[in-house]
Amino acid sequence: MMENQLNLNPSKKKQILRLENLVVAFNTEQGDVHAVDDISFSLDQGSVLGIAGESGCGKSVTALSILRLLPKPVSRIVSGKIWFQDKNVLELPIEQMHMIRGKKISMIFQEPMTALNPVHAVGRQLVEIYQLHFPGMKLSTMEINGVKMLEQVGISDPSQVMKKYPHQLSGGMRQRVMIAMALACEPDILIADEPTTALDVTVQAQILDLIKEIQIQTGMSVILITHDLGVIAESCDHVVVMYAGRIAETSMAMDLFQKPLHPYTKGLLASIPSRAKNAKTILPTIKGSVPSLLDMPKGCRFADRCPLVEEICWSICPGERPVGHHRTAACHLV
């Protein structure tokens, strides 16, 4: 495997997570489909990696694979390796995975209303985390730590919030509770899967600022999954752009916005509204739709939507290759 694929960051930071040729399949009535197909990337200690792409491109499946939380028996990891601190998590006994989840690698799920248990108060759900990972800790200490975590994520009157149930909180408050739970054990890696979904713009900015502030304070690594390139620009050090289950482009965030390489990335950036564009003009879009996982084309998966498509694109699927300094692109034309 190319070194570029393994380490996107030109700095000398220590690598903490690495995915190698990961393939994830789902069982359907029409047969197996590869929701994630041969992807490789790495995460450095203390850095923020953004994974961007349209809905259904495999972002969340990749995140769930890292924690081995894919639904069974409809899904399975076909091949590949996921290295965390020099251990392949796919080969670890389930008991060791229980100790990694929440303590070493935490995740903020997409929808806090479904991720939080509706029949338990917030305090009980926070205490359960400490009971699992620190069984020798006193209950009173667990409750004190829970209050401190809620206070850290900007919740006013945290003692009262500990007694409330998820349905009694606003969307922004529920999201802050999710962040508090994810950070309770001071994890090495935080996976934030669309952490601002269904929140208004003001609350979105507050949540993203909160994650960034805590990341800087603690030095943890973050994987930020989003379809919003504006979030990527503001929050991430480097980026993985996914399309139809594969990686289209990897780059440092600054380089991606200054000079995108893959036609798909160019299309995404062109479709972002800008004040610099002429008023009352039609916003550029990427025509067509993502191909079905049950009927992937033989060649490039973006070929039928690409304005630059050539004959080779229809017959040969391009693999990732290095382009310049610490960048890769899966395109015949780059």
Side-chain angles (χ1 to χ4, degrees):
M1 186 178 304
M2 295 175 296
E3 185 179 351
N4 300 63
Q5 288 177 296
L6 297 182
N7 192 348
L8 308 179
N9 197 329
S11 69
K12 298 300 182 181
K13 291 182 179 180
K14 181 181 178 181
Q15 193 178 91
I16 192 171
L17 181 75
R18 184 172 78 252
L19 277 66
E20 294 182 1
N21 307 104
L22 182 67
V23 179
V24 180
F26 282 77
N27 305 323
T28 71
E29 294 180 355
Q30 292 78 28
D32 287 356
V33 296
H34 287 174
V36 170
D37 191 8
D38 195 28
I39 70 168
S40 302
F41 63 82
S42 69
L43 174 67
D44 287 339
Q45 193 167 18
S47 65
V48 182
L49 168 69
I51 303 180
E54 296 174 73
S55 297
C57 71
K59 305 186 300 295
S60 295
V61 172
T62 300
L64 292 172
S65 299
I66 294 171
L67 287 171
R68 286 171 54 182
L69 289 175
L70 291 169
K72 302 290 184 181
V74 296
S75 64
R76 71 185 191 280
I77 295 177
V78 178
S79 61
K81 297 178 180 179
I82 301 176
W83 297 98
F84 170 65
Q85 295 181 339
D86 300 324
K87 294 181 180 179
N88 182 5
V89 300
L90 302 181
E91 296 178 348
L92 295 179
I94 192 64
E95 293 79 13
Q96 291 189 35
M97 280 306 303
H98 287 325
M99 294 299 101
I100 289 177
R101 294 176 188 149
K103 188 173 185 180
K104 297 294 184 180
I105 305 177
S106 287
M107 186 167 178
I108 304 171
F109 296 93
Q110 279 194 33
E111 179 47 63
M113 195 59 198
T114 56
L116 293 170
N117 193 324
V119 301
H120 292 314
V122 167
R124 177 172 175 179
Q125 298 185 57
L126 268 166
V127 165
E128 283 179 344
I129 297 173
Y130 295 111
Q131 289 175 331
L132 174 63
H133 296 292
F134 304 98
M137 186 182 293
K138 293 181 179 179
L139 179 60
S140 59
T141 304
M142 295 178 186
E143 293 174 345
I144 292 171
N145 288 343
V147 170
K148 288 181 179 178
M149 287 308 306
L150 293 179
E151 187 176 16
Q152 184 179 354
V153 298
I155 291 180
S156 58
D157 202 359
S159 298
Q160 288 301 312
V161 172
M162 288 278 284
K163 303 174 184 177
K164 293 185 177 181
Y165 291 83
H167 72 273
Q168 297 176 298
L169 305 176
S170 66
M173 290 277 278
R174 287 194 293 267
Q175 195 65 278
R176 289 174 187 271
V177 169
M178 284 292 299
I179 295 173
M181 293 175 65
L183 298 177
C185 297
E186 300 182 357
D188 298 313
I189 298 175
L190 174 67
I191 302 174
D193 188 3
E194 300 279 7
T196 58
T197 300
L199 300 177
D200 62 62
V201 177
T202 303
V203 178
Q204 284 185 29
Q206 292 173 354
I207 295 298
L208 291 171
D209 289 344
L210 174 62
I211 293 174
K212 186 65 176 179
E213 180 182 347
I214 294 175
Q215 184 267 332
I216 293 173
Q217 290 176 353
T218 62
M220 69 179 176
S221 305
V222 177
I223 296 177
L224 180 60
I225 299 172
T226 181
H227 61 271
D228 189 338
L229 288 176
V231 172
I232 295 288
E234 293 179 7
S235 307
C236 298
D237 300 310
H238 44 280
V239 192
V240 172
V241 180
M242 293 187 66
Y243 181 80
R246 305 198 74 176
I247 291 178
E249 180 172 350
T250 64
S251 173
M252 296 295 295
M254 184 181 299
D255 295 335
L256 184 87
F257 287 92
Q258 289 180 346
K259 187 180 179 181
L261 299 176
H262 198 282
Y264 174 62
T265 310
K266 294 178 181 178
L268 289 178
L269 292 175
S271 63
I272 297 176
S274 172
R275 294 179 64 183
K277 295 178 180 178
N278 295 329
K280 298 182 180 180
T281 56
I282 298 176
L283 193 67
T285 60
I286 302 175
K287 297 181 179 180
S289 58
V290 180
S292 169
L293 292 175
L294 291 166
D295 187 26
M296 283 294 176
K298 180 181 178 182
C300 177
R301 298 183 177 186
F302 189 62
D304 62 344
R305 305 177 71 188
C306 182
L308 306 175
V309 64
E310 294 186 359
E311 190 65 32
I312 189 175
C313 304
W314 297 107
S315 57
I316 300 176
C317 183
E320 275 187 89
R321 61 188 183 88
V323 181
H325 189 58
H326 291 279
R327 301 190 70 176
T328 70
C331 179
H332 296 298
L333 310 179
V334 175

